[in-house]
Amino acid sequence: MCITGASAWVIIQLYVDPIVRVLTAGFAVIIGYICVKLLGENTLTAYQRAKVSSINIVPSESDVTEKLNTICQDVTCN
């Protein structure tokens, strides 16, 4: 994303033609939008996976009287 902005700035500085400048800025904005959208989708997917994983880790109230097996000893939950 940084490379896109830097290359767009260089192209805009090198060319005088306004059509080239507008097209370059437009492509840079589109590429930036795509990058932010993909980053947001990946973040949302990771958040949803973490949320589901945390639900499986914490025991429910009905399972409190179960015996838990740990590495060092057996623990009875109250």
Side-chain angles (χ1 to χ4, degrees):
M1 211 161 84
C2 294
I3 294 172
T4 303
S7 61
W9 181 80
V10 168
I11 291 173
I12 288 172
Q13 295 298 319
L14 290 177
Y15 289 97
V16 181
D17 189 20
I19 294 173
V20 174
R21 289 181 165 192
V22 169
L23 288 176
T24 302
F27 283 129
V29 168
I30 289 171
I31 292 172
Y33 170 76
I34 290 170
C35 290
V36 169
K37 183 178 181 214
L38 292 176
L39 178 65
E41 288 177 355
N42 289 339
T43 304
L44 182 63
T45 303
Y47 172 74
Q48 288 173 344
R49 285 182 183 171
K51 188 169 60 171
V52 169
S53 295
S54 69
I55 290 171
N56 294 336
I57 293 171
V58 178
S60 65
E61 292 295 326
S62 64
D63 297 337
V64 171
T65 58
E66 282 186 8
K67 192 173 186 180
L68 298 175
N69 296 323
T70 62
I71 294 173
C72 56
Q73 63 183 355
D74 291 338
V75 178
T76 302
C77 295
N78 294 327

